[in-house]
Amino acid sequence: MTAIINIVDDDADHLSALCDLVETAGHQVRAFGSAQAMLAALPDRADMVISDLRMPEMDGLGLLKALRARSVSLPVVLLTGHGDVAHAVEAIRAGAEDFLEKPYDSAHLLSVIRRTLDAQTARNEVARLQQVLAERDKAAILGASRAMRGLRARIATLASVDLDVVITGETGTGKELAARAIHADSARSEGPFVALNCAVLSEASAETILFGHGAGVFAHDAGGRAGKLEAAHGGTLMLDEVETMPPTIQAKLLRVLQERMVERIGETRPRPLDIRVIATTKKPLRLIDGFRSDLFYRLAGTELATPTLREAGEDIPLIFAHYAQLAARRYGRPDPEVPWLLQQRLKRLAWPGNVRELKASAEAYALGLSEISGGSPASGPAPAQAPGPATLADRVADFEAREIAAVLDAHGGNTLRAAETLGIPRRTLNDKMRRYGLSSDQGAAGGGS
Ligand SMILES: Nc1ncnc2c1ncn2[C@@H]1O[C@H](COP(=O)(O)OP(=O)(O)OP(=O)(O)O)[C@@H](O)[C@H]1O
Ligand SMILES: [Mg+2]
C-alpha cells in the first residue's frame, strides 16, 4: 500500500517543491497550507507528517502537540530553519520523529521518510499482534459439562459463518466472552472488536456515538469523528445489552444493517460499512416490550444461549480452581488447594452472578481475603465451616468425606451396605454424612447439577 504523507508548510512555493519531491519518490502526498488545515483532515488515513517548524498561528511544534493531545500517534518530521536548534530539541522531546535543517538535502529527506515509515509499520504490526493475542487470551471458555461443550461447539459454528448473532444469557454467564471468542475465531479476527454498551445510549447521544459526525458539525471536534459503527469496519461490533436500545435508534440501526452503509451526522455521503454485529441481551428479545420485531428478525437468525451455573454445575470446581490459580500466580503465591469438600460445597451454593461471581469468589479465596460467599446455599444443609488453610484435620476430613461418597456411590446410596464396607456402625456413617453434607442419593448433597 502506498504511504500517504501529509505535508504542511505556509510557504506555497516550498510546499509544492516538497510535495513534488516526495511524490516523485513514489509516495502519495496531501498538501496543507497550515497546521489547522491538517488537523481538520485528521479523520482521513495518513502515515506520517512532514511539517515546517515556523508557521504563523500554529507552528510545527504546536501541530505535534495537538496531535498527541488527541492521541494521534502519527510520526512527525519537522523542517527547521538555520539556528532553530533549540526548538528542534524541544520538538524531539515532545515526540517528533526527526528534524531536518533547511535547506535540506533531498536524498537525506527521502531516507528519513523511508526510515520513519518502516518504523511506523513495525510499530503498527506489534500493536496489531498484541491486540490479536490479547483477544485470544481473553477468550478461553472453560468447562467440561454438556452445557459448556455445547456452547463451545456453537461458538465454533458461528465463528465459521459471517452472520449477525444474538447472545442471550443471564448476568455473568459469559456473553461478552462468547462474543469475543466468536470474533477471535472468525475471519474477522485481525479486524477490530468494538464493544458498545447500549445502556449508555440516550436518545440524544446515540446518533453521534453510533454514526459519528462530519467535519464542522461540532466546534469542539471540528475535524469530525467516526462513530462506533465505522470504528468496527472490517471487524465485529458488539452491541451489549441491546434490549436497552431506545426505539428510535433501533429503527436507524436496522436501516444501517440492511444497507451496510453509514452516514456521519452532517454528511450526505454514505460510507460503506463492513461489520458483523453481535448483540447481547439478558432477556430474550421477543419478550421485550418495545423491541422492534423487524430488528429482532434481522438479528435473531442466529442465536446463542450462554448457560447458567445451574446448568453447568459440574464445572464449578474446575472454573473455581482455574481462577483461584490465576489469581495466586498473579500475586506470586503458591497454587491454592481446592479440597474436595470445598468443591462439593461450592456446587451446593447458588451463584446468581454465575461465572463472574464464582470467579470473584475464587480470587478472594486464593488470596485469603474472604470466605466463600456464593450467595445462599441452593439446597442441602448449610456448610459446616469455612474452608481455612489446609490443616491436617482438614485434609483428613476431606479424605474421609471423599471415601464415604465413593463407597455410597458404589452401593447406589445404600447406607447399610456402605457402613458395612467402611466397617463403621450405620449411625456413625449417618453422623459423618450429615457433617460433610453428603446425601445417600448422590454422594454429595445436591450435587449442584
Ligand atoms: N465458561 C467460562 N469459562 C471461563 N470464564 C468464564 C466463562 N464464562 C464466563 N467467564 C468469565 O466470567 C466473567 C463474566 O463474563 P462476561 O463478562 O462475558 O459475562 P456477561 O454474560 O457479559 O455478563 P453481564 O450480562 O453481566 O454483562 C468474565 O471474567 C469471563 O471471562
Ligand atoms: Mg456483559
Side-chain angles (χ1 to χ4, degrees), residues 61-218:
L61 200 55
L63 172 61
L64 175 65
K65 288 178 177 164
L67 287 171
R68 297 301 179 254
R70 290 163 201 218
S71 320
V72 176
S73 60
L74 274 182
V76 176
V77 170
L78 292 170
L79 302 176
T80 67
H82 189 63
D84 270 339
V85 181
H87 284 110
V89 170
E90 196 187 340
I92 295 291
R93 284 217 183 101
E97 189 74 19
D98 209 341
F99 66 90
L100 271 83
E101 212 172 290
K102 291 191 285 192
Y104 50 83
D105 170 66
S106 308
H108 184 204
L109 177 65
L110 292 178
S111 88
V112 167
I113 290 175
R114 219 170 304 119
R115 200 187 35 152
T116 303
L117 290 174
D118 284 350
Q120 185 67 359
T121 307
R123 277 194 289 264
N124 288 343
E125 185 62 8
V126 168
R128 193 185 61 77
L129 287 176
Q130 276 170 344
Q131 172 85 22
V132 170
L133 286 180
E135 293 296 336
R136 295 238 160 103
D137 241 22
K138 273 190 237 153
I141 293 167
L142 304 170
S145 64
R146 241 176 77 113
M148 288 297 185
R149 280 185 285 127
L151 176 66
R152 277 196 299 269
R154 182 89 176 128
I155 286 173
T157 307
L158 293 176
S160 69
V161 295
D162 199 38
L163 301 168
D164 294 339
V165 177
V166 176
I167 303 179
T168 311
E170 282 181 21
T171 184
T173 51
K175 294 185 294 296
E176 175 158 2
L177 184 67
R180 289 182 185 275
I182 292 172
H183 171 77
D185 292 346
S186 76
R188 296 175 176 272
S189 63
E190 306 213 338
F193 179 92
V194 175
L196 172 67
N197 190 329
C198 298
V200 307
L201 294 178
S202 65
E203 298 265 350
S205 68
E207 282 193 69
T208 40
I209 294 178
L210 278 170
F211 306 113
H213 57 86
V217 173
F218 294 122

Side-chain angles (χ1 to χ4, degrees), residues 163-431:
L163 301 168
D164 294 339
V165 177
V166 176
I167 303 179
T168 311
E170 282 181 21
T171 184
T173 51
K175 294 185 294 296
E176 175 158 2
L177 184 67
R180 289 182 185 275
I182 292 172
H183 171 77
D185 292 346
S186 76
R188 296 175 176 272
S189 63
E190 306 213 338
F193 179 92
V194 175
L196 172 67
N197 190 329
C198 298
V200 307
L201 294 178
S202 65
E203 298 265 350
S205 68
E207 282 193 69
T208 40
I209 294 178
L210 278 170
F211 306 113
H213 57 86
V217 173
F218 294 122
H220 67 266
D221 209 356
R225 189 182 291 274
K228 290 281 183 181
L229 287 163
E230 248 185 277
H233 186 65
T236 305
L237 175 69
M238 179 176 79
L239 293 175
D240 210 6
E241 307 194 58
V242 73
E243 71 270 29
T244 63
M245 184 176 279
T248 50
I249 304 304
Q250 290 178 27
K252 292 191 169 126
L253 179 69
L254 178 67
R255 218 184 65 213
V256 171
L257 294 185
Q258 277 164 345
E259 294 168 7
R260 298 284 155 175
M261 295 289 250
V262 62
E263 231 169 77
R264 292 187 185 180
I265 314 284
E267 282 187 354
T268 48
R269 171 177 57 108
R271 304 168 187 242
L273 189 64
D274 169 31
I275 60 169
R276 175 188 209 175
V277 173
I278 301 184
T280 78
T281 172
K282 291 196 180 68
K283 272 201 226 160
L285 293 183
R286 79 185 81 78
L287 301 184
I288 291 163
D289 259 1
F291 199 87
R292 291 180 67 105
S293 58
D294 45 8
L295 179 57
F296 167 66
Y297 288 120
R298 182 76 192 64
L299 292 170
T302 35
E303 282 186 276
L304 172 71
T306 47
T308 62
L309 280 185
R310 297 185 298 285
E311 297 158 280
E314 67 189 84
D315 291 327
I316 288 175
L318 173 81
I319 296 174
F320 184 90
H322 172 80
Y323 283 120
Q325 187 181 68
L326 273 191
R329 291 195 177 163
R330 210 179 309 129
Y331 289 93
R333 305 206 176 186
D335 287 354
E337 260 186 80
V338 186
W340 184 84
L341 263 181
L342 172 58
Q343 295 179 18
Q344 303 314 309
R345 201 185 136 210
L346 292 171
K347 288 209 242 172
R348 285 197 303 276
L349 294 170
W351 298 97
N354 292 296
V355 183
R356 180 181 295 109
E357 187 184 6
L358 181 65
K359 179 180 174 186
S361 205
E363 289 169 347
Y365 171 78
L367 304 178
L369 294 179
S370 75
E371 293 179 359
I372 302 307
S373 61
S376 54
S379 64
Q385 70 245 359
T391 61
L392 180 61
D394 288 339
R395 285 164 192 258
V396 170
D398 196 60
F399 177 78
E400 189 176 58
R402 195 189 288 225
E403 283 300 301
I404 293 174
V407 173
L408 276 169
D409 252 4
H411 290 293
N414 184 322
T415 47
L416 187 63
R417 286 207 262 140
E420 264 170 35
T421 304
L422 290 163
I424 52 174
R426 194 173 173 193
R427 192 152 17 102
T428 310
L429 175 61
N430 282 332
D431 286 348

